[in-house]
Structure formats: structure tokens, C-alpha cells
Amino acid sequence: MAVKTTEIYHIFNQKGVLFMKIRKGISAVLAGVMALAALPVSAMSASAEGAYALGDVDMDGFITGHDAAMVTHALYVDNEAMTAEQLKLADVNGDGVVDQSDADWIHENQVYELGKTDKRFRMNAMTVYYQAYCIAADGTGNNGELQYSLEKGADLWEGGSYDDKVLPEVCYNLLDVNGDGVLTVDDILLTAFDVCYMGCGASKTIYFEEGRYDLTEDTIPVDDYQPARINMG
């Protein structure tokens, strides 16, 4: 049976309370296996690796939705989120200021959309899987049972899964859907909502708000929801 758009709106209408409860629930489940720890998004020094293309803010060799997400995260959430090197790469029009026009250009020229783990598909359940795997693998209680490494410069796969536990760095960065530079349970929650939101037909885009290329709880479009009513006369 198809899920109605109004059902998704209703589920997430009380987003503040719900997100808190879901966050605690996921944290408790994962903590039962291993402790969670935030993973810093890998970004090697541009001076050490040579020049990166303008727009490649996270310096993984590709201009992607994650680069645009990092810029709007810095513009609207945390003005000090990017390093001096990243700010230079974000100033794509060279006017000495990083602003919305830079974020828009990066978004328009991205080769991969935020949340992709495979060339063929957009954000889906596999995004959530790899987010959870990477967070769990870095947990302090892992004892080496879950492992992965990042391959710099490697492209996304087209089909299959990363069974050898070697993730392209670009894939890892695209998992950071709120653009804050770390993988946490928040990224999982935002992705899960987004997949449901698109899946029920409520949206054809992964983005919650025009011009915002980072996904955040505050931009989830449920504030204007009105319960369905039948006028009896």
C-alpha cells in the first residue's frame, strides 16, 4: 500500500520531540554494540597535495553536493566551519567573498548529488547503511570487528557494494548530508527522513529548502502542515 504524503507529514509534524526520541533510540541501539564517535571528514592540505579545482571544497578530487553543503552550512549555520584553504576553494567567482552565488555555482556544477553511494542511484537506504557502518566502525568499543579505509581520488562505483571495506573518499564525504564535517546520528536521521519524504511522493528533490544544499532539522518542510479534514456541512 502506498504511503500517503499526509502520513509522512503527520509522522514528522512534531519534529523536535520526535527527532530527540529517535536520536536517543538509535544511539542506545548502536551503543549496545559499540560506542559511537563522530568521524571527521578527511581533507588533506591543499599545499601538501597540490592545487585543487575551485569548488572542490572538501578536497577529495570531485566537485559534489557535499562541497555545496559545506558552503551553505558555513553561510547559515556556522561561519567558522571552513578552513582558510577551504574558503579559497569555495570562492569560485574570485570576488573575495564566499556567498550564496558560490554555493549555487558549486551545486549547478556538481558531478554527484549529496547522499549518493553509487553512480546509478540517488540517496537511498544504502546511504543510511554506510553512514551507520562508518560511525559504528569508528566506535571505541568496536575492537576491530568493523573496519574500513578511505581511498583518495577513487570514483564512485557503478553497481555492487564496497565489500572490501575500502570506500572512495568522495563516497564518505557525500554521507555527511548536513555538511558539518562529521558523521553522526543526525546525518542518519536526516537521510532517513529525506528518503521517506521522496519515497511517498512529497518531493522530487533531496533538498528541504531552496538554496540550502545542506540538510538540517530546521529546514525540514513540515511547519505548514495542516491535518486533512472533511467538511460535514
Side-chain angles (χ1 to χ4, degrees), residues 10 107 140:
H10 180 70
H107 171 70
T140 56

Side-chain angles (χ1 to χ4, degrees), residues 97-154:
V97 177
V98 176
D99 56 18
Q100 185 65 44
S101 64
D102 296 302
D104 291 340
W105 186 94
I106 294 172
H107 171 70
E108 292 166 3
N109 289 274
Q110 66 185 15
V111 294
Y112 295 128
E113 190 177 61
L114 193 66
K116 285 180 72 73
T117 61
D118 184 296
K119 288 183 178 180
R120 300 174 302 168
F121 306 113
R122 68 190 325 183
M123 176 189 293
N124 57 28
M126 289 304 296
T127 309
V128 176
Y129 167 79
Y130 283 114
Q131 288 170 330
Y133 185 94
C134 289
I135 292 171
D138 202 56
T140 56
N142 179 26
N143 296 321
E145 295 177 8
L146 300 178
Q147 298 179 3
Y148 72 97
S149 59
L150 300 181
E151 186 176 1
K152 193 171 186 65

